[in-house]
Every structure is written in structure tokens, then in C-alpha cells.
Amino acid sequence: MDWKPHAAALAAKAAHPGSDWWAPIRETPRHLLVERWFTPGPCGWTAVDGPSQEEVWATAAYSDTTLVTRIGPVHADHAAPGRTVTGLPTSSSTLPGLVVTMLRHGRLTPGVRLLDLATGSGYSAALACHRLGDGLVTTLDIDPYLTQAAAERLARIGRHPKAVTADADRELPGVYDRIVSMVSVPRIPTPWLTALAPGGRLVTTITGTGLIITADKTDDGGATGRVEWDRASFMATRAGEDYPPALNDVFATARTDEGTVTLSPFPVLDVMQAWEVWSMLSLAAPGIEHRTGTGDDGSRMTWMLHADGSWARAHMGAGERTATVHQGGPRRLYDLLEQIRWRWLDHGELPVYGAKVTITPDGGTTLSRGGWATTL
């Protein structure tokens, strides 16, 4: 494959000629790091073999797109081409534009020691090696196959970062000037602060939100920073091969139970596409699973589900501007959503983006802005 024109086109989308990341993108053969991946379909995820479909491979690898490489415990490398797999994505090669955004927030100046959390395909480590040099980059993932495969493929393209298999929530193998995480966390793990050098900087996203947090280590062992105005969403950290199963039992209840019925003054909202609202709601009630659909009568529908048994269902007929809401369980999830939507109308914005971040030495993470505050 003549990959260089494709990489140049990707660099034009994900960076610009004056950027520190222009050359790394242009000179990194991403296709050699992602030989197989999954594409979604109506019945699950289908494995695609790049080397056997070179044009498809080039188009996918050099698009500014996330390529899903693992579904549940099944990596695309181990799935027969055309095979359909069901489950949740558990690893991917993140879209290059977002990788660059996270690395840029890390302020990777020459000489800094970087910990790249969540190895995935190894693409973020490859870009970082180009910028810093191999000896200053460590890449870590909980999955031994991912670190092994990435290390082998990185070596083929002449990159040799230190690849470590470990749990990012536990003791980290070294001291670093920068920690940039390509996986989300519910709050800052204490081991990150321990492994961060004095004055070091960490960059991560918060699970279930679109929030990017940047923070610099303080003298007391904590850190201070802010929620960036950029937005991003990554897979959450996991302790095993897969994530917990979807809340299908709660969904079955939410589909049929009448619960408490109210009328909302707002139209039905696809919360996952409303980043400010979604982020604010996730901070207020972490762990909500959102689903959308269409009723038999063509009405717009949305469901909110939680592992504690709380649920909400809202629908809105064609031409209508208000929604009928059904809720049940120990909490009224839709009421929380409406409180946030009212706040947005009252203030013209929500306080999550641009918030100050204060992290205590034990990882306690507080966001605050304009009289609003929450601790993760």
C-alpha cells in the first residue's frame, strides 16, 4: 500500500502544518497498527480483514474515525472475517483527531516522560514516540494481548516504547512528567497522583461524560486544573475482559410498566447527543444508561435506566412539543434531567465546561464554577 498520501490527507484533517503533531501523523503508518477491526450492523459487529481488502483498509485506517478492535473478550485479530460478534466495544483505535487533542492537552515538551494509558492499537504511543523519542514513552493497558500486539506492531514501524500490562487503578510502574489517559475514569485514581512527578500534568476524561480534565500536580500531592472547553468520550476503565451486561431487565420493566405518569414541558431529548446536559446529568446520577427509539405510532421515545432499578420512559407524538413521561424505581431520573434543562434555560449554559478542578492527594475530585460544585 502507498500509505503516505493517505497519511498526509489525515494530517490535514487532524492537525495543521504548524502543529507539533503534523509530522507524527504524516509519518505514522496507522494501517500497520490496525490490521483488523469490527464494523457495526443490525445483528452485531462484523470483523473486517484489512490486508485482504487494501482499498477498504486504507480508507478506514486513514479516516479520522475510531476503529473498534475488540468486542467483549473477542479481539478482531482472532475473529474470522465476516464473523458477527455481539457485545460492547472494549478496545479501539481512537480517532486520530481526538488522540491529538488529548496529547496536545498534555503539553508534551521535549524531555518529558509520558505515560500513555490504554495502549489500544498503539497509535497514540506511536505519535508520542515521534514527538518525544521512544525512551521517554511508556504505554500501559490491562489486556496482555493488547500490549503484546501493539509492541510487536510498533516495533515493525520502528517505534519501541516501553509496553506494560497493568491495571491503571493500581500502582503504576514508574514516575512520569505527563500522564495522558485514552480511557475514562470515574475520579482520579490515587496511584496516578503518586506516579506523577512534582509539577507534572495529567489529562483524562470522566466516565459517562464528555469532560476532559487537565490538572497539574501541587506541592501537597494533589492537583489543580480545569475542565477543558473541548469535549471527548472514551471507554471506561475495566477490571476484566468485558463490561457489566446492559440493563436489559430494567429496560423490560421500563418498556411496559406504567409507573408514575407526568407531562414534561420539553420535547424528547436524545441526551447522549446533548453533551452539556449529558455530562451534567452523569455527574448528578452516574451510571445512567440511555436508549432511544421509535414507538409503533411513530412517536419519538427515550429511556433512562439505572442499576439501582430506577427507570424513565418518555414519548412524544409527531408534531407535538411536549412529552409524556413514565417513571419508576427508587429515584425519579427524568426529574433530574428536567432540573438540568431548566437550569440551562435560566442561565443560557451549564457550569460543567470551564469548571475549576481541585484534586486532593487521595484522588477526591471536585468541580466548581459560578457557585456550583460537585465532588466525584
Side-chain angles (χ1 to χ4, degrees):
M1 179 194 299
D2 183 11
W3 60 271
K4 290 190 174 181
H6 298 288
L10 176 58
K13 294 178 182 177
H16 58 85
S19 166
D20 292 331
W21 301 104
W22 173 261
I25 297 172
R26 284 177 61 96
E27 296 171 18
T28 298
R30 188 185 184 212
H31 71 289
L32 296 180
L33 300 174
V34 191
E35 297 181 348
R36 293 171 182 81
W37 65 96
F38 288 103
T39 58
C43 299
W45 298 81
T46 302
V48 180
D49 179 67
S52 67
Q53 305 178 65
E54 192 168 283
E55 186 174 339
V56 172
W57 192 15
T59 298
Y62 295 100
S63 297
D64 194 17
T65 303
T66 293
L67 299 178
V68 174
T69 54
R70 195 173 184 270
I71 299 296
V74 181
H75 196 284
D77 289 350
H78 306 139
R83 174 189 171 187
T84 298
V85 178
T86 58
L88 297 174
T90 50
S91 189
S92 67
S93 181
T94 300
L95 66 154
L98 180 52
V99 171
V100 168
T101 293
M102 299 298 285
L103 294 173
R104 176 171 53 81
H105 281 305
R107 299 179 182 171
L108 304 188
T109 52
V112 301
R113 297 162 294 177
L114 169 69
L115 177 62
D116 165 52
L117 284 177
T119 302
S121 68
Y123 185 68
S124 55
L127 298 184
C129 284
H130 191 291
R131 178 88 176 94
L132 299 175
D134 296 3
L136 292 173
V137 178
T138 299
T139 185
L140 180 150
D141 204 288
I142 194 172
D143 187 325
Y145 177 73
L146 293 180
T147 51
Q148 175 189 345
E152 291 174 355
R153 289 171 180 168
L154 285 164
R156 289 178 206 155
I157 66 171
R159 297 297 175 194
H160 302 275
K162 181 179 180 181
V164 176
T165 302
D167 187 339
D169 288 336
R170 300 184 182 275
E171 182 179 358
L172 298 178
V175 176
Y176 309 95
D177 303 297
R178 304 288 188 269
I179 296 176
V180 178
S181 179
M182 303 295 173
V183 66
S184 68
V185 291
R187 57 174 249 163
I188 305 303
T190 304
W192 292 19
L193 297 168
T194 303
L196 197 61
R201 182 175 181 83
L202 64 84
V203 182
T204 190
T205 54
I206 298 301
T207 301
T209 76
L211 307 182
I212 300 174
I213 283 181
T214 59
D216 300 317
K217 191 167 183 177
T218 50
D219 292 341
D220 65 355
T224 59
R226 70 171 188 173
V227 175
E228 298 291 342
W229 291 99
D230 292 327
R231 61 190 189 185
S233 182
F234 285 94
M235 297 175 190
T237 52
R238 53 186 170 83
E241 289 190 331
D242 203 349
Y243 294 110
L247 300 174
N248 292 332
D249 291 343
V250 181
F251 184 50
T253 300
R255 285 174 61 105
T256 58
D257 201 314
E258 280 295 301
T260 301
V261 184
T262 57
L263 185 67
S264 169
F266 299 111
V268 166
L269 177 69
D270 184 351
V271 175
M272 295 292 291
Q273 299 303 314
W275 287 70
E276 275 189 290
V277 174
W278 171 52
S279 296
M280 191 85 172
L281 179 62
S282 294
L283 294 176
I288 296 175
E289 182 180 311
H290 299 274
R291 302 190 187 188
T292 60
T294 304
D296 294 337
D297 58 356
S299 59
R300 290 171 53 189
M301 301 195 69
T302 186
W303 293 267
M304 300 167 63
L305 317 169
H306 198 278
D308 68 4
S310 301
W311 59 270
R313 177 179 80 249
H315 68 273
M316 180 179 72
E320 296 181 356
R321 303 298 297 167
T322 59
T324 301
V325 180
H326 301 253
Q327 299 186 81
R331 288 188 290 177
R332 295 295 178 261
L333 301 179
Y334 212 88
D335 290 356
L336 292 174
L337 173 61
E338 291 203 330
Q339 290 169 16
I340 291 169
R341 296 179 77 175
W342 278 118
R343 180 172 186 141
W344 187 87
L345 284 177
D346 289 340
H347 297 276
E349 66 167 359
L350 294 173
V352 284
Y353 289 96
K356 178 181 178 181
V357 175
T358 304
I359 306 169
T360 60
D362 65 354
T365 305
T366 299
L367 314 183
S368 59
R369 180 169 176 249
W372 168 85
T374 189
T375 298
L376 306 182

